[in-house]
Amino acid sequence: MTGQVVVAVDAASRSEIERSLGATNWARLRSDRWVAVYETESEASARTMVAELRGAHHAAVAGPPDASRAVSWNRWNSPVPVGENAEVCFPWVFSDAEIVIEIDPGLGFGRGDHPSTRLLLNELASRISGGESVLDVGCGSGILAIAAVCFGASHAQGIDVNEGGLLAAKANARRNCVAENTSFSATHLNEITGQFDVVVANIHDEILRELSDDLVARLAPEGWLGLSGVSPGQISRLSSSFPQVEFEEVKEMQDWNALIGRVNIE
């Protein structure tokens, strides 16, 4: 059975791909983004080619080898709507949304479809008014930090312990033309200085509780805090770990919850 390799490029890398794989027909997805499909002799050779392309920092994925698997492949690769006018998608996926956020998670968590991620994406989309500073704790692929800047934040800083995720986050920032407005590092939260208008964290509830004091310390007096990655049974214990924060009504999506709150200043 033959295989397929789907590769997405910008103007700078298009000629490089053709020198390596040969000339082909390209479909334009949006400004400075083209996609092409290369046929291979087998699924195994397609996987090898994808690994080589990704090793060279190109956005590539194995395509569906036959029609029977095309339906599930297309479903997995469909854009994720965010708010009223944005979508998150892989670089090789078409989207005609007003704001398109391209994410290739690589070794980092966060392609935009998980409910815990979508809960915070929707909050960022509706609450960012322009010029905010954002801290994303446990940034994974960088999706929340990058989306915040795409929605109008002036700068977003992401931190994570996963070096592979940090590499993906930096690549995604370049891909979305927000590298100058984002920064990603393995800096520990207690080493971060300054305060932020928005602090978001989509991580395990136990870690959220452990970091509660440091998370609040990084929040500007008029800023808001977004916590996600929480099941309904964990809400009470998590909220009690933030006594200085007044939370809104719990946000829900499928079996996941998020808490949005502000420091209660008396």
Side-chain angles (χ1 to χ4, degrees):
M1 181 177 292
T2 60
Q4 287 188 341
V5 173
V6 181
V7 57
V9 301
D10 56 17
S13 58
R14 181 171 168 175
S15 59
E16 179 184 347
I17 291 295
E18 290 201 329
R19 284 195 301 270
S20 174
L21 303 182
T24 189
N25 295 320
W26 296 88
R28 187 177 183 181
L29 298 180
R30 45 195 162 268
S31 176
D32 202 27
R33 179 67 68 230
W34 288 266
V35 66
V37 177
Y38 284 90
E39 300 288 340
T40 65
E41 61 183 14
S42 66
E43 292 183 67
S45 60
R47 290 192 294 268
T48 299
M49 184 181 293
V50 167
E52 292 173 350
L53 288 168
R54 296 185 72 85
H57 308 294
H58 296 295
V61 66
D66 53 52
S68 65
R69 280 180 274 184
V71 173
S72 59
W73 191 92
N74 288 329
R75 185 183 302 115
W76 171 255
N77 286 276
S78 59
V80 177
V82 177
E84 298 180 355
N85 62 346
E87 287 185 338
V88 176
C89 66
F90 293 124
W92 50 85
V93 171
F94 172 76
S95 169
D96 59 359
E98 180 180 341
I99 300 174
V100 178
I101 304 166
E102 293 186 353
I103 295 294
D104 186 347
L107 297 177
F109 173 81
R111 63 177 289 258
D113 66 324
H114 194 276
S116 65
T117 307
R118 293 179 65 188
L119 283 166
L120 289 183
L121 283 171
N122 287 334
E123 294 303 316
L124 290 168
S126 63
R127 294 172 184 266
I128 294 289
S129 58
E132 291 93 338
S133 58
V134 178
L135 176 63
D136 179 7
V137 180
C139 62
S141 67
I143 183 170
L144 295 178
I146 291 167
V149 173
C150 290
F151 296 144
S154 62
H155 187 272
Q157 180 175 351
I159 58 175
D160 205 301
V161 297
N162 183 344
E163 290 292 341
L166 291 171
L167 291 174
K170 293 173 183 178
N172 285 322
R174 293 191 296 270
R175 183 173 287 121
N176 288 278
C177 302
V178 297
E180 294 184 357
N181 303 92
T182 56
S183 60
F184 299 97
S185 72
T187 306
H188 289 278
L189 179 58
N190 59 10
E191 297 173 352
I192 298 292
T193 59
Q195 292 185 310
F196 299 79
D197 300 308
V198 180
V199 176
V200 290
N202 178 22
I203 47 184
H204 194 277
D205 79 300
E206 182 178 353
I207 300 176
L208 289 173
R209 287 185 280 113
E210 292 175 357
L211 298 178
S212 59
D213 290 341
D214 289 327
L215 287 167
V216 173
R218 299 281 65 81
L219 190 63
E222 300 300 323
W224 61 273
L225 174 68
L227 309 174
S228 192
V230 187
S231 68
Q234 296 167 336
I235 287 293
S236 176
R237 185 170 57 174
L238 179 60
S239 59
S240 65
S241 299
F242 292 81
Q244 62 277 65
V245 177
E246 184 175 344
F247 289 109
E248 302 174 4
E249 183 177 347
V250 176
K251 311 297 181 182
E252 301 177 351
M253 184 176 292
Q254 297 177 24
D255 294 327
W256 295 88
N257 292 158
L259 288 172
I260 308 297
R262 298 178 184 272
V263 174
N264 189 3
I265 302 176
E266 297 181 354

